[in-house]
Amino acid sequence: IEYANQTQKTEALAVLLDYKNRTADPQKEAEAQRKKQQREMNAAENPLTELKKLWSFRRLEDGTLEITSYKGRELHICVPEEIGGKPVRVIGQEAFSPWARGSAEQKEHRKNIQSVILPKGLLRIEPSAFFECENLASVAIPDSVNFIGDCAFSGCKSLTSIVIPNGITSIEEFSFCDCKGLTSITIPQGVTSIDSFSFSGCQNLTDVVVPESVTAISFRAFSDSFGLFLPSKLVIHAPAGSYAETYAKENSIPFIAE
């Protein structure tokens, strides 16, 4: 941008500034995409047909829907709250993952997804749902979600922050493995266990807030990708006298009482 400005390349400068503005706030981009989608659905003669172009889904026994695959081309995605009048309650296994079945073009696109807003009322994110979406920088998870499966966000290297919903009771194996952009994480009250490799490979993780409800943490929960070493700057924040304090001391991790 500075070079384009100095050399008075106005067209290049305009393009670069537009790109900067568009990528500065992924959540804003996703919200804009949601509004755009809603306008398109309202204008469409058959909204269900239009949604089927973007989403593969299946009906569950209770009549709700599980998203099984994203077929669109947007980088900032808003998952619909309902399709054909039926609520979306589950994001299925590998629904956004480039490892899922599909064309080479689809796989490449999934790698480039930058932000996702998940719908209100969603209950479950199944295993590997976003596995190796390496450019995913932002995901908004509603507080209604009560399950995040193993490897759900594993390999999301660009993810810089995530809010884990209050309904979660266990951090599953490998769920946030190799999320190298994460620097801090807050485990919500109600979680009782943090399983093996759940945050392994998160080499820039410096602060983890652990509630008193946690009574089990795997030794390898915060290790490197090989399960051998802990991040050098990791600090655990938790109530004094909690299990997390004992875990920190047993594993020589700096501890701060909250």
Side-chain angles (χ1 to χ4, degrees):
I1 292 174
E2 184 178 352
Y3 173 77
N5 189 32
Q6 290 174 350
T7 56
Q8 298 185 336
K9 296 182 180 295
T10 53
E11 291 185 9
L13 180 61
V15 171
L16 289 169
L17 287 171
D18 178 67
Y19 177 78
K20 179 181 178 182
N21 291 334
R22 287 176 58 80
T23 57
D25 191 342
Q27 284 294 94
K28 186 179 291 185
E29 284 291 326
E31 180 61 20
Q33 178 61 22
R34 184 191 68 79
K35 292 179 180 179
K36 176 186 173 185
Q37 266 184 13
Q38 190 60 52
R39 289 194 300 270
E40 290 174 349
M41 291 303 106
N42 292 339
E45 292 184 12
N46 191 335
L48 181 57
T49 299
E50 294 303 312
L51 285 170
K52 284 182 176 179
K53 293 178 182 177
L54 297 175
W55 306 99
S56 294
F57 53 90
R58 69 185 185 96
R59 185 173 178 176
L60 303 175
E61 290 183 1
D62 62 359
T64 62
L65 300 181
E66 173 184 338
I67 296 292
T68 57
S69 179
Y70 176 63
K71 300 183 291 185
R73 292 291 180 269
E74 297 293 341
L75 299 180
H76 303 281
I77 300 165
C78 185
V79 181
E81 292 183 19
E82 60 178 44
I83 298 176
K86 298 178 178 60
V88 173
R89 292 290 181 259
V90 179
I91 301 298
Q93 187 167 340
E94 296 186 340
F96 290 88
S97 173
W99 286 86
R101 297 172 67 179
S103 66
E105 183 183 0
Q106 286 176 323
K107 291 173 184 287
E108 188 61 30
H109 173 76
R110 288 170 183 159
K111 282 185 181 180
N112 294 324
I113 292 171
Q114 295 178 18
S115 67
V116 176
I117 294 179
L118 297 176
K120 295 177 182 177
L122 189 74
L123 298 177
R124 294 175 63 89
I125 301 173
E126 296 294 356
S128 302
F130 295 89
F131 180 64
E132 294 204 353
C133 289
E134 57 187 35
N135 287 296
L136 181 66
S138 171
V139 58
I141 305 175
D143 213 38
S144 53
V145 169
N146 56 37
F147 176 79
I148 297 176
D150 58 275
C151 298
F153 294 95
S154 180
C156 294
K157 300 175 182 178
S158 300
L159 198 62
T160 55
S161 66
I162 193 161
V163 177
I164 299 174
N166 291 320
I168 298 296
T169 58
S170 175
I171 308 298
E172 303 292 327
E173 292 183 345
F174 297 95
S175 50
F176 300 98
C177 173
D178 286 332
C179 290
K180 300 182 187 302
L182 288 179
T183 57
S184 65
I185 196 79
T186 297
I187 308 297
Q189 182 68 33
V191 169
T192 59
S193 63
I194 303 174
D195 294 345
S196 296
F197 298 100
S198 48
F199 295 97
S200 67
C202 297
Q203 60 195 34
N204 294 308
L205 196 60
T206 57
D207 296 279
V208 179
V209 179
V210 183
E212 198 165 15
S213 59
V214 171
T215 56
I217 304 175
S218 166
F219 167 70
R220 294 181 174 86
F222 302 103
S223 68
D224 62 10
S225 299
F226 301 101
L228 299 176
F229 304 104
L230 294 166
S232 59
K233 298 180 181 179
L234 179 64
V235 176
I236 288 181
H237 305 253
S242 64
Y243 172 82
E245 181 179 10
T246 301
Y247 172 85
K249 290 179 178 179
E250 288 179 349
N251 293 281
S252 302
I253 302 171
F255 175 81
I256 296 177
E258 295 290 311

